């Protein structure tokens, strides 16, 4: 099968390229390299089953050509990371809203099955934990830049569902919870790569707020397997699914775990949110997925624990740092 992956050079997109090429599919990755990186897909370049188009998902003509050439589409291209979202709010909204609209229009035109990646951010400040797909979305005010990301992704979901209701266009929406793994960078805010790199360098781990906020981290390999299996499951069309791992940990405990697993001498530094992200920032206190829907649909159960995830990240960054790494995994 020929498969188009928008955002194919990104962190999750590149792992999806690997999985699909390994199963014998022909993969076309579309990426504008704003946050995607050549090194994520360098090992695939020259492979007979892999090709790359370097373009923006806002480019209607190119997106139409790519969609027309594909049997199925995974739409992953997006602005990513809390840091980038608060620093570039206009670009964030435009990329997410316009880009997804272009992709959906092209998929409707050629009637291609498409999977749209949304985010657990859409649950916003909801205190009804765990979050399940039919829950209300509780979004903060428009004066706080972070919510522009959640609202844009929610709009993508509404547009996808509108196509489904209008013409039964085969579309699946997934809400990705915190996803972690090799190739993820801490540059755009993501906490696990940041903590692992700080620990390997012997620098303080920067815990934002009071560190009691919790998250659930899922290995990118579990996420990618879920994406592939949902696409292969016709009854998933017209539906929304959470993808993640329900193992909950506070950010303070996460920092302690990373220090323990690296054997680092690093201390923990508490950083007020205002210092990290500016004055109009709001964080979510708890974010836990209800996974019963996807479990029932495709038998999904994440295989990697949080310790597996942290160890994988330590191995990845220790190897990148080379023989001069201060601390080794173990
Ligand atoms: N965080 C932190 N230190 C960092 C980066 C992030 O304490 O250096 C916190 C952040 O404030 C949030 C959690 O870790 O409470 C997860 O942040 P991330 O940006 O990875 O994902 P989010 O769940 O906020 O989208």
């Amino acid at each position: 099968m020929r498969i188009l992956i928008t955002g194919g050079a990104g962190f999750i997109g590149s792992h999806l390229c690997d999985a699909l090429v390994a199963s014998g599919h022909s993969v076309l990755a579309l990426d504008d390299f704003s946050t995607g990186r050549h090194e994520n897909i360098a090992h695939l370049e020259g492979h007979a089953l892999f090709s790359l188009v370097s373009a923006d998902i806002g480019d209607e003509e190119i997106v139409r050509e790519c969609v027309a050439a594909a049997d199925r589409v995974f739409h992953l291209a997006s602005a990513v990371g809390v840091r980038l979202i608060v620093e570039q709010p206009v670009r964030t909204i435009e990329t997410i809203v316009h880009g997804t609209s272009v992709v959906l229009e092209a998929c409707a035109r050629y009637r291609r099955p498409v999977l749209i990646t949304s985010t657990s951010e859409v649950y916003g400040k909801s205190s009804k934990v765990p979050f399940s797909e039919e829950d209300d979305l509780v979004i903060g005010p428009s004066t706080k830049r972070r919510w522009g990301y959640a609202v844009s992704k929610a709009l993508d979901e509404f547009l996808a569902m509108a196509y489904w209701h209008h013409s039964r266009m085969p579309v699946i929406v997934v809400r990705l919870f915190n996803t972690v793994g090799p190739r993820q960078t801490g540059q755009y805010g993501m906490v696990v790569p940041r903590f692992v790199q700080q620990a390997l360098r012997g620098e303080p781990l920067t815990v934002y707020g009071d560190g009691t906020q919790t998250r659930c981290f899922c290995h990118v390999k579990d996420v990618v397997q879920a994406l592939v299996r949902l696409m292969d499951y016709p009854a998933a069309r017209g539906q929304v699914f959470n993808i993640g791992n329900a193992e909950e940990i506070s950010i303070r405990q996460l920092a302690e775990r990373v220090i323990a697993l690296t054997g680092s001498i690093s201390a923990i530094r508490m950083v007020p949110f205002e210092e990290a992200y500016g004055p109009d920032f709001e964080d979510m206190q708890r974010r836990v997925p209800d996974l019963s829907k996807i479990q029932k649909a495709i038998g999904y159960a994440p295989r990697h624990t949080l310790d597996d995830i942290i160890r994988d990240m330590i191995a990845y960054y220790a190897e990148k740092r080379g023989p001069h790494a201060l601390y080794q995994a173990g």
Side-chain angles (χ1 to χ4, degrees):
M1 209 168 302
R2 293 162 304 170
I3 298 178
L4 170 65
I5 304 177
T6 73
F11 155 54
I12 303 175
S14 64
H15 284 280
L16 183 58
C17 290
D18 286 343
L20 292 170
V21 166
S23 337
H25 295 292
S26 165
V27 170
L28 173 61
L30 174 69
D31 208 296
D32 68 354
F33 293 94
S34 51
T35 56
R37 291 182 301 160
H38 276 287
E39 65 174 274
N40 290 346
I41 45 156
H43 59 287
L44 288 172
E45 283 182 296
H47 193 296
L49 291 176
F50 181 77
S51 49
L52 173 70
V53 172
S54 181
D56 193 312
I57 42 158
D59 187 326
E60 293 168 30
E61 214 171 299
I62 290 182
V63 169
R64 278 183 196 154
E65 275 172 32
C66 293
V67 168
D71 300 307
R72 291 173 168 188
V73 179
F74 288 89
H75 175 43
L76 278 77
S78 177
V80 287
V82 177
R83 181 162 301 283
L84 182 135
I85 286 155
V86 297
E87 284 173 2
Q88 300 183 19
V90 174
R91 199 179 120 205
T92 294
I93 295 170
E94 284 181 347
T95 306
I96 293 172
V97 176
H98 179 61
T100 302
S101 153
V102 169
V103 169
L104 284 169
E105 190 276 333
C107 291
R109 175 180 291 246
Y110 300 105
R111 223 173 155 77
R112 298 295 190 255
V114 56
L115 182 149
I116 302 283
T117 49
S118 181
T119 167
S120 56
E121 282 262 332
V122 298
Y123 291 108
K125 299 192 275 188
S126 174
S127 53
K128 189 198 152 293
V129 179
F131 298 152
S132 63
E133 289 86 347
E134 291 304 312
D135 287 346
D136 288 342
L137 311 180
V138 185
I139 305 297
S142 54
T143 44
K144 297 189 189 290
R145 283 164 290 169
R146 176 180 193 151
W147 300 113
Y149 174 69
V151 169
S152 304
K153 284 290 198 177
L155 186 58
D156 285 0
E157 293 192 14
F158 279 107
L159 189 58
M161 287 303 141
Y163 273 105
W164 166 255
H165 288 294
H166 180 252
S167 58
R168 284 291 179 263
M169 184 177 119
V171 57
I172 301 165
V173 171
V174 299
R175 293 183 181 151
L176 302 183
F177 283 66
N178 295 64
T179 304
V180 187
R183 301 180 196 153
Q184 185 178 37
T185 120
Q187 208 179 333
Y188 308 113
M190 283 85 166
V191 69
V192 177
R194 285 175 59 79
F195 282 1
V196 168
Q197 283 178 288
Q198 288 165 338
L200 289 173
R201 293 189 196 115
E203 293 170 5
L205 273 63
T206 51
V207 171
Y208 298 163
D210 64 7
T212 61
Q213 70 272 33
T214 68
R215 294 295 186 271
C216 298
F217 298 94
C218 189
H219 197 290
V220 66
K221 285 197 173 146
D222 286 323
V223 170
V224 160
Q225 235 208 0
L227 297 178
V228 172
R229 289 173 58 201
L230 279 175
M231 183 64 109
D232 283 339
Y233 180 62
R237 294 173 182 178
Q239 297 208 50
V240 178
F241 292 91
N242 288 337
I243 302 180
N245 184 321
E247 190 181 345
E248 185 178 13
I249 188 167
S250 77
I251 299 303
R252 169 91 202 193
Q253 287 168 328
L254 174 70
E256 287 162 0
R257 198 78 202 119
V258 169
I259 290 172
L261 289 174
T262 46
S264 171
I265 53 159
S266 289
I268 290 176
R269 182 163 79 87
M270 306 305 287
V271 179
F273 283 119
E274 187 168 322
E275 192 184 312
Y277 291 125
D280 64 352
F281 188 78
E282 263 189 307
D283 199 34
M284 294 85 174
Q285 187 58 25
R286 281 183 79 193
R287 183 189 279 163
V288 183
D290 178 343
L291 297 170
S292 49
K293 185 173 177 184
I294 188 167
Q295 207 257 331
K296 206 165 152 205
I298 57 165
Y300 171 80
R303 291 178 36 212
H304 299 81
T305 65
L306 179 62
D307 278 3
D308 295 336
I309 293 170
I310 297 172
R311 284 201 185 93
D312 248 25
M313 291 301 270
I314 295 168
Y316 173 71
Y317 276 113
E319 192 187 317
K320 262 176 102 72
R321 284 168 58 82
H324 304 300
L326 267 178
Y327 302 98
Q328 297 296 335

